[in-house]
Coordinates of all heavy atoms in Angstrom, one line a residue:
M6 N 133.2 -64.6 171.0 CA 131.9 -65.0 171.1 C 131.0 -63.8 170.9 O 131.3 -62.7 171.4 CB 131.6 -65.6 172.5 CG 130.2 -65.9 172.8 SD 129.9 -66.3 174.5 CE 130.2 -64.7 175.2
S7 N 129.9 -63.9 170.2 CA 129.0 -62.9 170.0 C 127.6 -63.4 170.2 O 127.3 -64.6 169.9 CB 129.1 -62.3 168.6 OG 128.1 -61.3 168.4
S8 N 126.7 -62.6 170.6 CA 125.3 -63.0 170.7 C 124.4 -61.8 170.5 O 124.7 -60.7 171.0 CB 125.1 -63.6 172.1 OG 123.7 -63.9 172.2
T9 N 123.3 -62.0 169.9 CA 122.3 -60.9 169.8 C 121.2 -61.1 170.8 O 120.4 -60.2 171.0 CB 121.6 -60.9 168.4 OG1 121.1 -62.2 168.1 CG2 122.7 -60.6 167.3
D10 N 121.3 -62.2 171.6 CA 120.3 -62.5 172.6 C 121.1 -62.7 173.9 O 121.8 -63.7 174.0 CB 119.4 -63.6 172.3 CG 118.5 -64.0 173.4 OD1 118.4 -63.3 174.4 OD2 117.8 -65.0 173.2
A11 N 121.0 -61.9 174.9 CA 121.8 -62.0 176.1 C 121.6 -63.3 176.8 O 122.4 -63.7 177.6 CB 121.5 -60.8 177.0
Q12 N 120.5 -63.9 176.6 CA 120.2 -65.2 177.3 C 120.8 -66.4 176.5 O 120.7 -67.5 177.0 CB 118.7 -65.4 177.5 CG 118.1 -64.3 178.3 CD 118.7 -64.1 179.7 OE1 119.0 -65.1 180.4 NE2 118.9 -62.9 180.1
S13 N 121.3 -66.2 175.4 CA 121.8 -67.3 174.5 C 123.2 -67.8 174.8 O 123.6 -68.7 174.2 CB 121.6 -66.9 173.0 OG 122.6 -65.9 172.7
H14 N 123.9 -67.1 175.7 CA 125.3 -67.6 176.0 C 125.5 -67.6 177.5 O 125.0 -66.8 178.2 CB 126.3 -66.7 175.2 CG 126.4 -65.3 175.7 ND1 125.7 -64.3 175.2 CD2 127.1 -64.8 176.7 CE1 126.0 -63.2 175.8 NE2 126.8 -63.4 176.8
N15 N 126.5 -68.4 177.8 CA 127.0 -68.5 179.2 C 128.5 -68.8 179.0 O 128.8 -69.9 178.6 CB 126.3 -69.6 179.9 CG 126.8 -69.8 181.4 OD1 128.0 -69.9 181.6 ND2 125.9 -69.7 182.3
I16 N 129.3 -67.8 179.3 CA 130.7 -68.0 179.0 C 131.4 -69.1 179.7 O 132.2 -69.8 179.2 CB 131.4 -66.6 179.3 CG1 132.9 -66.7 178.8 CG2 131.4 -66.3 180.8 CD1 133.1 -66.8 177.3
T17 N 130.9 -69.4 181.0 CA 131.6 -70.5 181.7 C 131.2 -71.9 181.1 O 132.1 -72.8 181.0 CB 131.2 -70.5 183.2 OG1 129.8 -70.5 183.4 CG2 131.8 -69.3 183.9
R18 N 130.0 -72.0 180.6 CA 129.6 -73.3 179.9 C 130.4 -73.4 178.6 O 130.8 -74.5 178.2 CB 128.1 -73.3 179.7 CG 127.4 -74.0 180.8 CD 126.0 -74.3 180.5 NE 125.2 -73.1 181.0 CZ 124.1 -72.6 180.5 NH1 123.6 -73.2 179.4 NH2 123.5 -71.6 181.0
I19 N 130.5 -72.3 177.9 CA 131.2 -72.4 176.6 C 132.7 -72.8 176.9 O 133.2 -73.7 176.2 CB 131.2 -71.0 175.9 CG1 129.7 -70.8 175.4 CG2 132.1 -71.0 174.7 CD1 129.5 -69.3 175.0
L20 N 133.3 -72.1 177.8 CA 134.7 -72.4 178.1 C 135.0 -73.8 178.7 O 136.0 -74.4 178.6 CB 135.4 -71.3 178.9 CG 135.5 -70.0 178.2 CD1 136.1 -68.9 179.2 CD2 136.4 -70.1 177.0
A21 N 134.0 -74.3 179.4 CA 134.1 -75.6 180.1 C 134.4 -76.7 179.1 O 135.0 -77.8 179.4 CB 132.8 -75.9 180.9
K22 N 134.0 -76.5 177.8 CA 134.3 -77.5 176.8 C 135.7 -77.5 176.3 O 136.1 -78.3 175.5 CB 133.3 -77.2 175.6 CG 131.9 -77.3 175.9 CD 131.0 -76.8 174.7 CE 129.6 -76.7 175.2 NZ 128.7 -76.1 174.1
H23 N 136.5 -76.5 176.8 CA 137.9 -76.4 176.4 C 138.8 -76.4 177.6 O 139.0 -75.3 178.2 CB 138.0 -75.0 175.6 CG 137.1 -75.0 174.4 ND1 137.3 -75.5 173.2 CD2 135.9 -74.4 174.3 CE1 136.3 -75.3 172.4 NE2 135.4 -74.6 173.0
P24 N 139.3 -77.5 177.9 CA 140.2 -77.6 179.1 C 141.4 -76.7 179.1 O 141.9 -76.3 180.2 CB 140.6 -79.1 179.2 CG 140.2 -79.7 177.9 CD 139.2 -78.8 177.3
E25 N 141.9 -76.3 178.0 CA 143.0 -75.5 177.9 C 142.7 -74.0 178.4 O 143.7 -73.2 178.5 CB 143.6 -75.4 176.5 CG 142.7 -74.8 175.4 CD 141.7 -75.7 174.8 OE1 141.3 -76.7 175.3 OE2 141.3 -75.3 173.6
F26 N 141.5 -73.7 178.6 CA 141.1 -72.4 179.1 C 140.5 -72.5 180.5 O 139.8 -71.6 181.0 CB 140.1 -71.8 178.2 CG 140.6 -71.6 176.8 CD1 139.8 -72.1 175.7 CD2 141.8 -71.0 176.5 CE1 140.2 -71.9 174.4 CE2 142.2 -70.9 175.2 CZ 141.5 -71.3 174.2
S27 N 140.7 -73.6 181.2 CA 140.1 -73.8 182.5 C 140.5 -72.8 183.6 O 139.6 -72.4 184.4 CB 140.4 -75.3 183.0 OG 141.7 -75.4 183.2
T28 N 141.7 -72.4 183.6 CA 142.1 -71.4 184.6 C 141.5 -70.0 184.3 O 141.0 -69.4 185.3 CB 143.7 -71.3 184.6 OG1 144.2 -72.6 184.8 CG2 144.1 -70.3 185.7
F29 N 141.4 -69.6 183.1 CA 140.8 -68.4 182.8 C 139.3 -68.5 183.2 O 138.7 -67.5 183.8 CB 140.9 -68.1 181.2 CG 140.4 -66.8 180.8 CD1 141.1 -65.7 180.8 CD2 139.1 -66.7 180.3 CE1 140.7 -64.4 180.4 CE2 138.6 -65.5 179.8 CZ 139.4 -64.3 179.9
N30 N 138.7 -69.6 182.8 CA 137.3 -69.8 183.2 C 137.0 -69.7 184.7 O 136.1 -69.1 185.1 CB 136.8 -71.2 182.6 CG 135.3 -71.3 182.6 OD1 134.6 -70.3 182.7 ND2 134.9 -72.5 182.4
H31 N 137.9 -70.3 185.4 CA 137.8 -70.3 186.9 C 137.8 -68.9 187.4 O 137.0 -68.5 188.3 CB 138.9 -71.1 187.5 CG 139.1 -70.9 189.0 ND1 138.3 -71.5 189.9 CD2 140.0 -70.2 189.7 CE1 138.6 -71.1 191.1 NE2 139.7 -70.3 191.0
Y32 N 138.8 -68.1 186.9 CA 138.9 -66.7 187.4 C 137.8 -65.8 186.9 O 137.5 -64.8 187.5 CB 140.3 -66.2 187.2 CG 141.3 -66.7 188.2 CD1 142.1 -67.8 187.9 CD2 141.3 -66.2 189.5 CE1 142.9 -68.3 188.9 CE2 142.1 -66.7 190.4 CZ 142.9 -67.8 190.1 OH 143.7 -68.3 191.1
L33 N 137.2 -66.1 185.8 CA 136.0 -65.4 185.3 C 134.9 -65.5 186.4 O 134.2 -64.6 186.7 CB 135.5 -65.8 184.0 CG 136.3 -65.4 182.8 CD1 135.6 -65.9 181.5 CD2 136.5 -63.9 182.7
T34 N 134.8 -66.7 186.9 CA 133.8 -67.0 187.9 C 134.2 -66.3 189.3 O 133.4 -65.6 189.9 CB 133.6 -68.5 188.1 OG1 133.1 -69.1 186.9 CG2 132.6 -68.8 189.2
T35 N 135.4 -66.5 189.7 CA 135.9 -66.0 191.0 C 135.8 -64.5 191.0 O 135.5 -64.0 192.1 CB 137.4 -66.5 191.2 OG1 137.4 -67.9 191.1 CG2 137.9 -66.0 192.5
T36 N 136.1 -63.8 190.0 CA 136.1 -62.4 189.9 C 134.7 -61.8 189.6 O 134.5 -60.6 189.6 CB 137.1 -61.8 188.9 OG1 136.7 -62.3 187.6 CG2 138.5 -62.2 189.3
H37 N 133.7 -62.7 189.3 CA 132.4 -62.3 188.9 C 132.3 -61.6 187.5 O 131.3 -61.0 187.2 CB 131.7 -61.4 190.0 CG 131.6 -62.1 191.3 ND1 130.8 -63.1 191.6 CD2 132.4 -61.9 192.4 CE1 131.0 -63.5 192.8 NE2 131.9 -62.8 193.3
L38 N 133.4 -61.7 186.8 CA 133.3 -61.2 185.4 C 132.4 -62.0 184.5 O 131.8 -61.5 183.6 CB 134.7 -61.2 184.8 CG 135.6 -60.0 185.1 CD1 137.0 -60.2 184.6 CD2 135.0 -58.7 184.6
A39 N 132.3 -63.3 184.8 CA 131.4 -64.1 184.0 C 129.9 -63.6 184.0 O 129.3 -63.6 183.0 CB 131.4 -65.6 184.5
D40 N 129.5 -63.1 185.2 CA 128.2 -62.6 185.3 C 128.0 -61.3 184.4 O 127.0 -61.1 183.8 CB 127.8 -62.2 186.8 CG 127.8 -63.4 187.7 OD1 127.5 -64.5 187.2 OD2 128.1 -63.2 188.9
E41 N 129.0 -60.5 184.4 CA 129.0 -59.3 183.6 C 129.0 -59.6 182.1 O 128.3 -59.0 181.4 CB 130.2 -58.4 184.0 CG 130.1 -57.8 185.4 CD 131.3 -57.0 185.7 OE1 131.7 -56.2 184.9 OE2 131.9 -57.1 186.8
I42 N 129.8 -60.6 181.8 CA 129.9 -61.0 180.4 C 128.5 -61.6 179.9 O 128.0 -61.3 178.9 CB 131.0 -62.1 180.2 CG1 132.3 -61.5 180.3 CG2 130.8 -62.8 178.8 CD1 133.5 -62.4 180.5
N43 N 127.9 -62.4 180.7 CA 126.7 -63.1 180.4 C 125.5 -62.1 180.3 O 124.5 -62.4 179.6 CB 126.3 -64.2 181.4 CG 127.3 -65.3 181.3 OD1 128.0 -65.5 180.3 ND2 127.4 -66.1 182.3
R44 N 125.6 -61.0 180.9 CA 124.5 -59.9 180.8 C 124.6 -59.1 179.5 O 123.7 -58.4 179.1 CB 124.6 -59.0 182.0 CG 124.0 -59.5 183.2 CD 123.8 -58.4 184.3 NE 125.1 -57.9 184.7 CZ 125.8 -58.3 185.8 NH1 125.3 -59.3 186.5 NH2 126.9 -57.7 186.2
R45 N 125.7 -59.2 178.8 CA 125.9 -58.4 177.6 C 125.3 -59.0 176.4 O 125.2 -60.2 176.2 CB 127.4 -58.2 177.3 CG 128.2 -57.6 178.4 CD 127.8 -56.1 178.5 NE 128.5 -55.5 179.6 CZ 129.0 -54.2 179.6 NH1 128.8 -53.5 178.5 NH2 129.6 -53.7 180.6
R46 N 124.8 -58.2 175.5 CA 124.2 -58.6 174.3 C 125.3 -58.9 173.2 O 125.2 -59.8 172.5 CB 123.2 -57.6 173.7 CG 122.0 -57.5 174.6 CD 121.0 -56.5 174.1 NE 120.6 -56.7 172.7 CZ 119.6 -57.4 172.3 NH1 118.8 -58.0 173.2 NH2 119.3 -57.6 171.0
T47 N 126.3 -58.0 173.1 CA 127.3 -58.2 172.1 C 128.6 -58.1 172.9 O 128.9 -57.1 173.6 CB 127.2 -57.0 171.1 OG1 125.9 -57.0 170.5 CG2 128.3 -57.2 170.0
I48 N 129.5 -59.0 172.6 CA 130.7 -59.1 173.4 C 131.8 -59.9 172.7 O 131.5 -60.8 171.9 CB 130.4 -59.8 174.8 CG1 131.6 -59.5 175.8 CG2 130.2 -61.2 174.7 CD1 131.1 -58.6 176.9
T49 N 133.0 -59.6 172.9 CA 134.2 -60.4 172.4 C 135.1 -60.7 173.6 O 135.4 -59.8 174.3 CB 135.0 -59.7 171.3 OG1 134.1 -59.4 170.2 CG2 136.1 -60.5 170.8
V50 N 135.4 -62.0 173.8 CA 136.3 -62.3 174.9 C 137.6 -62.9 174.3 O 137.5 -63.9 173.5 CB 135.6 -63.4 175.8 CG1 136.6 -63.8 177.0 CG2 134.3 -62.9 176.4
C51 N 138.7 -62.3 174.6 CA 140.0 -62.8 174.2 C 140.5 -63.7 175.3 O 141.1 -63.2 176.3 CB 140.9 -61.6 173.9 SG 140.4 -60.6 172.5
V52 N 140.3 -65.0 175.1 CA 140.5 -65.9 176.2 C 142.0 -66.2 176.3 O 142.7 -66.4 175.3 CB 139.7 -67.2 175.9 CG1 140.0 -68.2 177.0 CG2 138.2 -66.9 175.8
V53 N 142.5 -66.3 177.5 CA 143.9 -66.6 177.8 C 144.0 -68.1 178.1 O 143.3 -68.6 179.0 CB 144.5 -65.7 178.9 CG1 145.9 -66.1 179.2 CG2 144.3 -64.3 178.6
D54 N 144.9 -68.8 177.5 CA 145.1 -70.2 177.8 C 145.8 -70.4 179.2 O 146.2 -69.5 179.8 CB 145.8 -71.0 176.7 CG 147.3 -70.6 176.5 OD1 147.8 -69.9 177.4 OD2 147.9 -71.0 175.5
N55 N 145.8 -71.7 179.6 CA 146.3 -72.0 180.9 C 147.8 -71.6 181.1 O 148.2 -71.1 182.2 CB 146.1 -73.5 181.2 CG 144.7 -73.9 181.4 OD1 143.8 -73.0 181.6 ND2 144.4 -75.1 181.3
A56 N 148.6 -71.7 180.1 CA 150.0 -71.3 180.2 C 150.1 -69.8 180.4 O 150.9 -69.3 181.2 CB 150.8 -71.7 178.9
G57 N 149.3 -69.0 179.6 CA 149.3 -67.6 179.8 C 148.8 -67.2 181.2 O 149.3 -66.3 181.8
M58 N 147.8 -67.9 181.7 CA 147.2 -67.6 183.0 C 148.3 -67.9 184.1 O 148.4 -67.2 185.1 CB 145.9 -68.4 183.2 CG 144.7 -67.8 182.5 SD 144.3 -66.1 183.0 CE 143.9 -66.3 184.7
S59 N 149.0 -69.0 183.9 CA 150.1 -69.3 184.8 C 151.1 -68.2 185.0 O 151.5 -67.9 186.1 CB 150.7 -70.6 184.4 OG 151.8 -71.0 185.3
D60 N 151.5 -67.6 183.8 CA 152.4 -66.5 183.9 C 151.8 -65.3 184.6 O 152.5 -64.7 185.4 CB 152.8 -66.1 182.4 CG 153.7 -67.1 181.7 OD1 154.2 -68.0 182.4 OD2 153.7 -67.0 180.5
L61 N 150.5 -65.1 184.4 CA 149.8 -64.0 185.0 C 149.7 -64.2 186.5 O 150.0 -63.3 187.3 CB 148.4 -63.8 184.4 CG 147.6 -62.6 185.0 CD1 148.3 -61.3 184.9 CD2 146.2 -62.6 184.3
L62 N 149.3 -65.4 186.9 CA 149.2 -65.7 188.3 C 150.5 -65.7 189.1 O 150.5 -65.5 190.3 CB 148.5 -67.1 188.5 CG 147.0 -67.1 188.0 CD1 146.5 -68.5 188.0 CD2 146.1 -66.2 188.8
A63 N 151.6 -65.9 188.4 CA 152.9 -65.9 189.0 C 153.3 -64.5 189.5 O 154.1 -64.3 190.3 CB 154.0 -66.4 188.0
K64 N 152.5 -63.5 189.0 CA 152.7 -62.1 189.5 C 152.1 -61.9 190.9 O 152.3 -60.8 191.4 CB 152.2 -61.1 188.4 CG 153.0 -61.3 187.1 CD 152.4 -60.3 186.1 CE 153.0 -60.5 184.7 NZ 154.4 -60.6 184.6
H65 N 151.3 -62.8 191.3 CA 150.6 -62.7 192.6 C 149.8 -61.4 192.8 O 149.9 -60.7 193.8 CB 151.7 -62.9 193.8 CG 152.5 -64.1 193.7 ND1 152.0 -65.4 194.0 CD2 153.8 -64.3 193.3 CE1 152.9 -66.3 193.8 NE2 154.0 -65.7 193.3
L66 N 149.0 -61.1 191.8 CA 148.1 -60.0 191.9 C 147.0 -60.2 192.8 O 146.6 -61.4 193.0 CB 147.5 -59.7 190.5 CG 148.5 -59.4 189.3 CD1 147.8 -59.3 188.0 CD2 149.3 -58.1 189.6
S67 N 146.5 -59.2 193.4 CA 145.3 -59.3 194.3 C 144.1 -59.6 193.4 O 144.2 -59.4 192.1 CB 145.0 -58.0 195.0 OG 144.7 -57.0 194.0
L68 N 143.1 -60.2 193.9 CA 141.9 -60.5 193.1 C 141.3 -59.3 192.4 O 141.0 -59.5 191.2 CB 140.9 -61.2 194.0 CG 139.8 -62.1 193.3 CD1 140.4 -63.1 192.4 CD2 138.9 -62.7 194.2
P69 N 141.2 -58.2 193.0 CA 140.7 -57.0 192.3 C 141.6 -56.6 191.1 O 141.2 -56.2 190.0 CB 140.6 -55.9 193.3 CG 140.5 -56.6 194.6 CD 141.3 -57.9 194.5
S70 N 142.9 -56.7 191.3 CA 143.9 -56.4 190.2 C 143.8 -57.4 189.1 O 143.8 -57.1 187.9 CB 145.3 -56.4 190.7 OG 145.5 -55.3 191.6
L71 N 143.6 -58.7 189.5 CA 143.5 -59.7 188.5 C 142.2 -59.5 187.7 O 142.1 -59.7 186.5 CB 143.4 -61.1 189.1 CG 143.3 -62.3 188.2 CD1 144.5 -62.3 187.2 CD2 143.3 -63.6 189.0
K72 N 141.1 -59.1 188.4 CA 139.8 -58.8 187.7 C 140.0 -57.7 186.7 O 139.5 -57.8 185.6 CB 138.8 -58.5 188.7 CG 137.4 -58.1 188.0 CD 136.4 -57.8 189.1 CE 135.0 -57.5 188.4 NZ 134.0 -57.3 189.3
N73 N 140.8 -56.7 187.1 CA 141.1 -55.6 186.2 C 141.8 -56.0 184.9 O 141.5 -55.7 183.8 CB 141.8 -54.5 186.9 CG 141.9 -53.2 186.2 OD1 141.0 -52.9 185.5 ND2 142.9 -52.4 186.5
V74 N 142.8 -56.9 185.1 CA 143.6 -57.4 184.0 C 142.7 -58.2 183.1 O 142.7 -58.1 181.8 CB 144.8 -58.2 184.5 CG1 145.5 -58.9 183.3 CG2 145.8 -57.3 185.2
L75 N 141.9 -59.1 183.6 CA 141.0 -60.0 182.8 C 140.0 -59.2 182.1 O 139.6 -59.5 181.0 CB 140.4 -61.1 183.7 CG 141.3 -62.1 184.3 CD1 140.5 -63.1 185.1 CD2 142.2 -62.7 183.2
S76 N 139.5 -58.1 182.7 CA 138.5 -57.3 182.1 C 139.0 -56.6 180.8 O 138.2 -56.3 179.9 CB 137.9 -56.3 183.1 OG 138.8 -55.3 183.4
L77 N 140.3 -56.4 180.8 CA 140.9 -55.8 179.5 C 140.8 -56.8 178.4 O 141.0 -56.4 177.2 CB 142.3 -55.4 179.8 CG 142.5 -54.3 180.8 CD1 143.9 -54.0 181.1 CD2 141.8 -53.0 180.3
H78 N 140.5 -58.1 178.6 CA 140.4 -59.1 177.6 C 138.9 -59.2 177.1 O 138.7 -60.1 176.3 CB 140.9 -60.4 178.1 CG 142.4 -60.4 178.3 ND1 143.0 -59.9 179.4 CD2 143.4 -60.9 177.5 CE1 144.3 -60.0 179.3 NE2 144.6 -60.6 178.2
V79 N 138.1 -58.4 177.6 CA 136.6 -58.5 177.3 C 136.2 -57.2 176.7 O 136.2 -56.2 177.3 CB 135.8 -58.8 178.6 CG1 134.3 -59.0 178.2 CG2 136.3 -60.0 179.3
F80 N 135.8 -57.3 175.4 CA 135.5 -56.1 174.6 C 133.9 -56.0 174.6 O 133.3 -57.0 174.3 CB 136.0 -56.1 173.2 CG 137.5 -56.4 173.1 CD1 138.0 -57.1 172.0 CD2 138.4 -55.9 174.1 CE1 139.4 -57.3 171.9 CE2 139.7 -56.2 174.0 CZ 140.2 -56.8 172.9
A81 N 133.4 -54.8 174.8 CA 132.0 -54.6 174.8 C 131.5 -54.3 173.3 O 130.8 -53.4 173.1 CB 131.6 -53.4 175.7
D82 N 132.0 -55.1 172.4 CA 131.7 -55.0 171.0 C 132.1 -56.4 170.4 O 132.8 -57.1 171.0 CB 132.5 -53.9 170.3 CG 132.0 -53.5 169.0 OD1 131.0 -54.1 168.5 OD2 132.7 -52.7 168.3
Y83 N 131.5 -56.6 169.2 CA 131.9 -57.9 168.5 C 133.0 -57.7 167.6 O 132.9 -56.8 166.7 CB 130.6 -58.5 167.8 CG 131.0 -59.7 167.0 CD1 131.4 -60.9 167.6 CD2 131.0 -59.7 165.6 CE1 131.7 -62.0 166.9 CE2 131.3 -60.8 164.9 CZ 131.7 -61.9 165.5 OH 132.0 -63.0 164.8
F84 N 134.0 -58.5 167.7 CA 135.1 -58.4 166.7 C 135.2 -59.8 166.1 O 135.8 -60.8 166.6 CB 136.5 -58.1 167.5 CG 136.6 -56.7 167.8 CD1 136.0 -56.1 168.9 CD2 137.4 -55.9 166.9 CE1 136.2 -54.8 169.1 CE2 137.6 -54.5 167.2 CZ 137.0 -54.0 168.3
G85 N 134.7 -59.9 164.9 CA 134.8 -61.2 164.1 C 136.0 -61.0 163.2 O 136.8 -60.0 163.3
A86 N 136.3 -62.1 162.5 CA 137.5 -62.1 161.6 C 137.5 -60.9 160.7 O 138.6 -60.3 160.5 CB 137.6 -63.4 160.8
R87 N 136.4 -60.6 160.1 CA 136.4 -59.5 159.1 C 136.7 -58.2 159.8 O 137.5 -57.4 159.3 CB 135.0 -59.4 158.5 CG 134.8 -58.4 157.5 CD 133.5 -58.4 156.9 NE 133.4 -57.6 155.7 CZ 132.3 -57.4 155.0 NH1 131.2 -57.9 155.4 NH2 132.4 -56.6 153.9
K88 N 136.1 -57.9 160.9 CA 136.4 -56.6 161.6 C 137.9 -56.6 162.1 O 138.5 -55.5 162.1 CB 135.4 -56.5 162.8 CG 135.5 -55.1 163.5 CD 134.4 -55.0 164.5 CE 134.4 -53.6 165.1 NZ 133.2 -53.4 166.0
L89 N 138.4 -57.7 162.6 CA 139.8 -57.8 163.0 C 140.7 -57.4 161.9 O 141.7 -56.7 162.0 CB 140.1 -59.1 163.6 CG 139.6 -59.4 165.0 CD1 139.8 -60.8 165.4 CD2 140.2 -58.5 166.0
H90 N 140.4 -57.9 160.7 CA 141.3 -57.7 159.5 C 141.2 -56.3 159.0 O 142.0 -55.8 158.3 CB 141.0 -58.7 158.4 CG 141.5 -60.1 158.7 ND1 142.8 -60.4 158.8 CD2 140.8 -61.2 159.0 CE1 142.9 -61.7 159.2 NE2 141.7 -62.2 159.3
Q91 N 140.1 -55.6 159.4 CA 139.9 -54.2 158.9 C 140.6 -53.2 159.8 O 140.6 -52.0 159.6 CB 138.5 -53.9 158.8 CG 137.8 -54.6 157.7 CD 136.3 -54.4 157.7 OE1 135.7 -53.9 158.7 NE2 135.6 -54.6 156.6
I92 N 141.2 -53.6 160.9 CA 141.9 -52.7 161.8 C 143.2 -52.2 161.1 O 144.0 -53.0 160.7 CB 142.3 -53.5 163.2 CG1 141.0 -53.8 163.9 CG2 143.2 -52.6 164.0 CD1 141.2 -54.7 165.1
S93 N 143.3 -50.9 161.1 CA 144.4 -50.3 160.4 C 145.6 -50.1 161.4 O 145.3 -49.8 162.5 CB 144.1 -49.0 159.7 OG 143.6 -48.1 160.6
K94 N 146.8 -50.3 160.9 CA 148.0 -50.0 161.7 C 148.1 -50.8 163.0 O 148.7 -50.4 163.9 CB 148.1 -48.5 162.0 CG 148.3 -47.7 160.7 CD 148.5 -46.2 161.0 CE 148.5 -45.5 159.7 NZ 148.5 -44.1 159.8
G95 N 147.4 -52.0 163.0 CA 147.5 -52.9 164.1 C 146.9 -52.5 165.4 O 147.1 -53.1 166.5
S96 N 146.1 -51.4 165.5 CA 145.4 -51.1 166.7 C 144.1 -50.4 166.5 O 143.8 -49.8 165.4 CB 146.3 -50.2 167.6 OG 146.5 -48.9 166.9
T97 N 143.3 -50.5 167.5 CA 142.0 -49.8 167.5 C 141.6 -49.5 168.9 O 142.2 -50.0 169.8 CB 140.9 -50.7 166.8 OG1 139.7 -49.9 166.6 CG2 140.6 -51.9 167.6
T98 N 140.6 -48.7 169.0 CA 140.0 -48.4 170.4 C 138.7 -48.9 170.5 O 137.8 -48.8 169.6 CB 140.0 -46.8 170.6 OG1 141.3 -46.3 170.3 CG2 139.5 -46.5 171.9
T99 N 138.4 -49.6 171.7 CA 137.1 -50.1 172.0 C 136.9 -50.1 173.5 O 137.9 -50.0 174.2 CB 136.9 -51.6 171.4 OG1 135.6 -52.0 171.5 CG2 137.8 -52.6 172.1
S100 N 135.7 -50.2 173.9 CA 135.4 -50.3 175.3 C 135.6 -51.7 175.8 O 135.4 -52.7 175.1 CB 133.9 -50.0 175.6 OG 133.7 -48.6 175.2
T101 N 136.1 -51.8 177.0 CA 136.3 -53.1 177.7 C 135.4 -53.1 179.0 O 134.9 -52.1 179.3 CB 137.8 -53.3 178.1 OG1 138.2 -52.3 179.0 CG2 138.7 -53.4 176.9
L102 N 135.3 -54.2 179.6 CA 134.5 -54.3 180.9 C 135.3 -53.6 181.9 O 136.0 -53.4 182.6 CB 134.2 -55.7 181.3 CG 133.2 -56.4 180.4 CD1 132.9 -57.8 181.0 CD2 131.9 -55.6 180.3

């Protein structure tokens, strides 16, 4: 997701339209990452589906640890298809939340 206007997106409303991401969406709210995401002007969220979240939750991480893991899925930059395909050698460095 990308936005040039910080008020134009709400990550929880966007994800609510996709039930396969409901667990990720729930924990964005619970950890308050959704608030941080919604304040950003430019952002990329690599959303984890419910099956992936189930595997993560099976590790019984504390809420602060879970927040840390989820924040690694939120890039403080926009990565569209073009930019993703321009990544050389399969990796790049970017800021996360």
Side-chain angles (χ1 to χ4, degrees):
M6 175 192 66
S7 173
S8 174
T9 57
D10 177 4
Q12 301 304 317
S13 69
H14 68 267
N15 179 306
I16 189 65
T17 55
R18 269 192 263 146
I19 292 167
L20 292 177
K22 299 174 188 173
H23 305 278
E25 67 273 23
F26 303 129
S27 61
T28 305
F29 186 86
N30 196 15
H31 168 77
Y32 282 100
L33 286 181
T34 300
T35 302
T36 61
H37 303 286
L38 279 172
D40 297 334
E41 294 178 44
I42 291 167
N43 291 339
R44 282 193 294 269
R45 301 291 179 143
R46 292 181 55 91
T47 304
I48 196 112
T49 301
V50 180
C51 297
V52 180
V53 179
D54 67 11
N55 291 343
M58 285 298 297
S59 179
D60 291 342
L61 179 60
L62 294 172
K64 298 179 186 314
H65 305 288
L66 300 173
S67 67
L68 199 56
S70 294
L71 183 59
K72 179 179 182 175
N73 195 26
V74 171
L75 295 182
S76 70
L77 295 173
H78 291 79
V79 183
F80 307 148
D82 193 2
Y83 174 68
F84 281 81
R87 184 177 192 184
K88 190 170 183 177
L89 286 170
H90 289 292
Q91 291 175 342
I92 296 173
S93 62
K94 299 183 181 171
S96 68
T97 190
T98 303
T99 191
S100 297
T101 62
L102 289 186

